Each structure stands twice: as structure tokens, then as C-alpha cells.
Amino acid sequence: MAVHNALEALSLRPTVFLRSVWPWRSLAYLLCGVLIGWATVVAVLALLIAGTLLSVLVVGFAGFVAVVLSGIVVARLERRRLRLVDFADLPDPHVPVTAPGIRAWLRVRLREEVTWRELGYAALSAGLLCWMDALVIGGVGYTIIALLGAPWFIDDEPLSTSLPLTMLGVPLTVVLAYPITAWAGARAAMARAMLAPRTDERLVEVTRSRARLVDAFEVERRRIERDLHDGAQQRLVALSMQLGLARLELPDGSPAAEPIAAAHELAKQALTELRELIRGVHPQVLTGRGLAAAVGEVASTAPLPVDLDFALPGRLPPAVEITAYFVAVEALTNIAKHSGAARAAVTARLVRDRLLLEVRDDGRGGADPSTGSGLVGLADRAAVLDGTVTVSSPVGGPTVLRAEIPVAGAMTGESS
């Protein structure tokens, strides 16, 4: 049976438990708790006394901040020593500080809920738990010493009275391993409950991590788009021009005329495909002119008429524009491939700090996101910004795709 913490060790057979290291690890854990708790009391009292004696406001405030942040130190030590009686990992819930400098670090830490939770644990540990640790260790130690040393400590009693106490102390010493281990396990469970990352904290960090990954991905997309636009596309344009000039220079009936003409057409096709690829990676017009212009460019090349109705007061944040653009492009692509529609429409409104993007078509309907149409990916992309994508597509149509994306921060630019 694999044992992962002190409380689980109590369920072992007595012969196995008493021969294991768990009683000793529990005793070491409680001794560390006493030392850390008393050290915290001394440090906090010293900081408070120093802040009281020194009348300088800055020094007093620095002492207060140090007291608040002492919980971080105590919690870090607790996570390390918790490994004595609990093998399960207890991760640090603090978010990483990316900005340089002590001020940025303090600003982040003082705003975190976990910092104040750790301060509460430090206060509980120094004010109560360490004294209970000392009481358990002292009580067990006093009992063992009093019983085993009865013949030496009891002078007035005959040996026939004190010797049975000593004999009783031997098995009792073994039995006392159980309360030490039980209190150490309960103490560790209490620490884990107070110091473990909350579920919402983990979700927030996962969301932030996913948002950072998306941002990094968008930066890489822009770099690829820029390299293709400024490199490969320019070379293909030059190649197409050279082939066009070569066709003009060839005399009529030249044997090279047909291969040159074919190469010229292939170059033009490759240039067209590259332009489509660049627009799919990251459209230049989206960065330069905004969402309405970028969607309008896609609509102008769609194989069916697309009505546009954008009523936005200005440029949106880049992340919102990118997400909305790809939602619109994917929706129009699905309409052209699968819907059999004769007409489509794209509308965009800003309602209570949320961008409402709607793509509608008059096709046959029956769209199913689970068939791999790309709609699931759009929902995941919108979810990074805490947005949603919903599809209404009854059989016979119409199909309406609706995206709601929160708009963070102020908008800039002129009206679209």
C-alpha cells in the first residue's frame, strides 16, 4: 500500500506503522513548526516595535509592508517542510512578475488575494498552531520522561511502586507515536487547505497563459506575413514582370514563346495564391485600416454578394479586431463552401462594451459545429477573450453565426 501523507500512514498495521519513518517525520514537522512559529512572533514583534519607536513615516510604512509580506516567507517555508508529512505537490499560487524592479513586485504581491491568505496563515501559525505543536511535543515528551524516569524522579515511593510505571512507559512510548502523527497530519491538511491555489486562481492563470500564447502566436503571424509580403511576394512580382517583358521581346513564332507564356501564367497564379496566403496569415489592411476595411476586402472577393453593416465608433483593441476578423472570414468561407446561399450579410455593433458580430446567410441551413467546420476553433479563439460564438442553423435556413467579444480598454481612431 502506497502511503502519501501522515494521515494515510495511520491506517497501516501497527507493526508496519511503528517501524516506518512516519512518526519521526511527523515529530520533525512539528518541531519545525514550533521553531518557525516562534521565529515569526519574534520577527513581527521586532518590526512593530521598530515602527513604533521610529517616528519617520516611511520607516513605519516599510515595517507594515514587511509584516504583510512575512506571510509569503512563512508560506514558502511551509510548502517546503510540508514534504515531511505529505508527498503531494503544493504549487506556489503567486503569479509571475514580468515587470522589473521592487516596486512592480510589491504592487503585484500586495494586490494578490493569496498574499493576504498567506498572511492569515502566518498569523494563525504564530498565534496558535506553533503553541499547539509545542503542547503536543511537550506533553508527549513529559509523559515519556516521567514514566521511564519514575525510579529516579519519585524519591518517596518504593521501587515496587515506581518500577511498574517505568514498565508501563515502554509500551506507552510506542503508542504515543500515534497522536504525534495524527496531529502532524491534521496540521498539514490545515496548511494545505489554506495555502493551496484556489480553483478560480488556477482558471485565471490558465486563461492568462492561454491569452499570452495567443498574443505570441499573433506576433508570429504578423512576422510571417511581413516576411512573405516584403520578401517572397516582391520576388514573385519581379519574376512576373521579367517574364512579361521576355514575352514582349520574343519574335512571333519563336519556339520559346509558348514555354515563356506558360511560365508567366504560373508566376501570376503563384502570386495570386501567395497573396491569399498572406491575407490568411494576417491581413495588412486589418492592421492599417481596421476591422470594417479588412472584412470588406474579404467580402469583395467572395463568390456571392455580401452585405456589410458596420456601426463602430472607432478602432477596436487589436486582439478584438483579430478575433472578430477570423470569425467573419471563417463564417464567410463556410457559407461559400457548404451553405448553397445566394447572399450573405455581416453586421457589427458595439453594445455595452461588447462587440456583437453577426454573419447571416440564406442557405440551406443545418450547419453542425461538430462536423469539423472550424466553428469549434472559432469558439475557442473567442473564449480566450472571454467571448462566445453561437450558431443558429435550422434545416432550410437561415444560418446565423453570432459572436460576442468583450472590448477591453478605450478605443482609438476615427469612425469606421
Side-chain angles (χ1 to χ4, degrees):
M1 174 182 177
V3 177
H4 301 94
N5 56 59
L7 292 179
E8 290 183 4
L10 293 173
S11 63
L12 296 173
R13 292 196 308 271
T15 55
V16 176
F17 169 73
L18 295 174
R19 286 187 290 107
S20 70
V21 297
W22 286 106
W24 300 104
R25 295 177 74 98
S26 300
L27 180 61
Y29 176 75
L30 296 181
L31 285 172
C32 291
V34 173
L35 296 176
I36 292 175
W38 289 353
T40 304
V41 172
V42 172
V44 169
L45 288 177
L47 289 171
L48 292 177
I49 293 173
T52 303
L53 295 178
L54 297 174
S55 58
V56 181
L57 180 61
V58 175
V59 176
F61 177 74
F64 168 75
V65 172
V67 170
V68 172
L69 297 180
S70 65
I72 297 178
V73 179
V74 173
R76 182 168 297 179
L77 292 174
E78 179 63 33
R79 290 187 181 93
R80 290 178 179 272
R81 76 186 190 94
L82 198 63
R83 299 287 294 177
L84 285 169
V85 292
D86 193 342
F87 293 156
D89 187 35
L90 183 61
D92 190 340
H94 290 286
V95 299
V97 181
T98 56
I102 187 64
R103 288 189 176 182
W105 186 86
L106 287 174
R107 190 180 304 113
V108 172
R109 290 293 176 259
L110 292 176
R111 290 178 178 176
E112 285 184 302
E113 184 266 342
V114 65
T115 299
W116 300 95
R117 186 149 40 87
E118 290 175 342
L119 176 62
Y121 174 78
L124 180 63
S125 177
L128 178 62
L129 296 181
C130 73
W131 303 100
M132 295 181 67
D133 295 343
L135 183 63
V136 171
I137 295 174
V140 170
Y142 175 80
T143 302
I144 293 174
I145 293 173
L147 291 176
L148 294 180
W152 293 273
F153 296 130
I154 305 178
D155 298 331
D156 299 334
E157 297 291 337
L159 191 61
S160 59
T161 302
S162 60
L163 190 58
L165 293 176
T166 302
M167 297 177 63
L168 178 63
V170 175
L172 188 60
T173 299
V174 177
V175 173
L176 288 176
Y178 279 90
I180 288 181
T181 307
W183 170 241
R187 174 90 150 77
M190 196 182 311
R192 177 174 292 277
M194 295 186 67
L195 300 179
R198 298 290 187 262
T199 302
D200 54 348
E201 292 172 353
R202 292 180 180 177
L203 290 177
V204 167
E205 182 56 28
V206 167
T207 302
R208 288 174 177 171
S209 299
R210 187 168 60 174
R212 288 194 294 268
L213 288 174
V214 170
D215 290 341
F217 180 62
E218 291 302 334
V219 170
E220 185 65 14
R221 289 171 70 105
R222 293 190 183 192
R223 185 191 66 78
I224 294 173
E225 181 269 336
R226 184 174 60 252
D227 292 345
L228 290 175
H229 183 273
D230 298 338
Q233 181 178 256
Q234 299 304 320
R235 291 187 179 89
L236 275 177
V237 170
L239 175 62
S240 181
M241 292 178 61
Q242 291 294 329
L243 290 173
L245 292 175
R247 290 181 66 181
L248 295 175
E249 294 294 332
L250 289 174
D252 295 337
S254 171
E258 186 174 348
I260 292 294
H264 190 204
E265 291 301 320
L266 288 174
K268 290 193 291 184
Q269 292 177 12
L271 183 59
T272 301
E273 292 177 358
L274 182 61
R275 284 171 176 164
E276 292 294 327
L277 176 62
I278 292 173
R279 187 171 63 186
V281 170
H282 186 89
Q284 185 106 16
V285 66
L286 179 63
T287 303
R289 297 169 53 196
L291 178 62
V295 176
E297 184 181 72
V298 174
S300 65
T301 60
L304 73 164
V306 179
D307 300 322
L308 300 179
D309 184 9
F310 283 72
L312 302 175
R315 291 295 300 271
L316 304 176
V320 176
E321 287 191 336
I322 292 170
T323 301
Y325 171 79
F326 282 108
V327 168
V329 170
E330 181 67 26
L332 290 176
T333 301
N334 285 341
I335 291 172
K337 289 182 178 180
H338 309 295
S339 71
R343 199 169 194 88
V346 182
T347 62
R349 298 283 187 276
L350 197 64
V351 179
R352 293 190 297 275
D353 293 332
R354 294 180 73 87
L355 173 64
L356 304 183
L357 179 74
E358 190 174 278
V359 183
R360 179 186 298 265
D361 70 76
D362 58 0
R364 64 177 69 95
D368 185 3
S370 63
T371 58
S373 60
L375 297 178
V376 175
L378 293 180
D380 292 340
R381 175 184 281 270
V384 173
L385 301 180
D386 200 23
T388 59
V389 174
T390 58
V391 179
S392 173
S393 183
V395 177
T399 297
V400 180
L401 182 145
R402 181 184 178 90
E404 296 189 18
I405 306 172
V407 178
M411 294 185 302
T412 59
E414 301 300 328
S415 299
S416 298

